[in-house]
Amino acid sequence: LFKAFRDEVKVSTTAFFTAVMGFVIGKYNYKDESVISTIYNGRRTEKQRDVISMLVKTLPFVADFNNNPAIKDYLKKSEILPD
């Protein structure tokens, strides 16, 4: 059920769960937006897999659900990086 919905909306698993987390944190704090940070390992190619270095990138994620967007629109807007 999850994969079918995710594929229909055309977002990555990472974007889906990041968007859900942003939404939950916003609602928990009674706000229409929230800001969280995500971590990306910075290794984009196979050659970088064995590199010993600090390549971690911290990416801010702003969840904005003002005007009550449709869930599909909110998720599409939340796409960050492909899986």
Side-chain angles (χ1 to χ4, degrees), residues 10-51:
K10 297 182 179 148
V11 296
S12 66
T13 301
T14 302
F16 179 85
F17 284 109
T18 302
V20 169
M21 182 65 143
F23 181 81
V24 170
I25 289 173
K27 291 302 179 184
Y28 179 80
N29 290 306
Y30 303 102
K31 303 288 183 185
D32 287 335
E33 56 186 22
S34 64
V35 178
I36 59 175
S37 64
T38 61
I39 300 172
Y40 171 63
N41 72 14
R43 291 167 173 85
R44 297 192 71 101
T45 66
E46 187 65 29
K47 291 180 182 179
Q48 294 174 325
R49 186 183 72 184
D50 296 326
V51 171

